[in-house]
Amino acid sequence: MQAGAAGCRPVHFVNWKKGGAVMKRFLVLAVLAAALTGAPSFAQEAAVSANGVKTLSPEGAIKPTGTWSLGTRAGDFVYVAGMRGIDPATDTLVDGAEERIRQAFVNMKVIAGSEGAELRDAVRLVVFVTDMYRYRPIVNEVQKEFWGDGPYPPRSIVEVHRLNQDDFFEVEGTFYAPAKD
């Protein structure tokens, strides 16, 4: 076998159908050993980083659909990841544009509220929609339900080509919530 560019050797991957049994056993034993010794696994994250950033996953919230967390607390600020109109009871998108947008704001409220923030504590919102003309008026109406006659937090609204799972709306927020000692 010849070396590749700059003397590098080609990487060989295990064929799981042929001869991968040893590797499978090794991985199972490694995961089991880590679990039994209390070592963190690949799926677990520390609840608080060395610098004090707390990962949020409150009761009643949606479940992340990938390699992201719902939110974090860093000092006096709570950062909520992009929330979509997912019903936490069923883990499915809510039907109807207005209902889905409302559910996304409710999901954001749950995360922020877990750290003592209210929607009026929002210092910045970013809204993503797939059709500005169609969804911006609905977003404005739903926001009025939550914030009344204002004041409203600073907000950017951005039209994007596509969102996760072909959704049409997502909102993320930053909240001021002084840490309690």
Side-chain angles (χ1 to χ4, degrees), residues 52-123:
V53 176
K54 179 181 175 185
T55 301
L56 306 177
S57 185
E59 195 73 29
I62 65 168
K63 294 174 185 63
T65 57
T67 55
W68 55 279
S69 62
L70 300 174
T72 56
R73 171 186 274 284
D76 289 339
F77 291 92
V78 175
Y79 302 89
V80 179
M83 291 289 115
R84 296 182 304 123
I86 297 173
D87 180 346
T90 63
D91 284 328
T92 59
L93 288 168
V94 173
D95 290 330
E98 187 173 333
E99 293 81 3
R100 187 177 298 179
I101 291 168
R102 184 177 297 108
Q103 184 63 51
F105 278 104
V106 168
N107 292 342
M108 184 173 62
K109 183 178 176 181
V110 168
I111 308 299
S114 73
E115 289 296 305
E118 297 177 7
L119 289 178
R120 289 208 181 264
D121 296 319
V123 295

Side-chain angles (χ1 to χ4, degrees), residues 147-168:
W147 276 270
D149 291 328
Y152 300 107
R155 179 188 85 183
S156 298
I157 186 165
V158 181
E159 182 173 309
V160 296
H161 176 71
R162 176 173 263 162
L163 290 167
N164 191 22
Q165 297 175 325
D166 289 326
D167 203 352
F168 56 81

Side-chain angles (χ1 to χ4, degrees), residues 14-17 19-30:
V14 174
N15 181 337
W16 291 103
K17 292 182 181 176
V22 173
M23 182 58 82
K24 285 181 190 175
R25 282 189 215 117
F26 172 77
L27 288 173
V28 168
L29 290 174

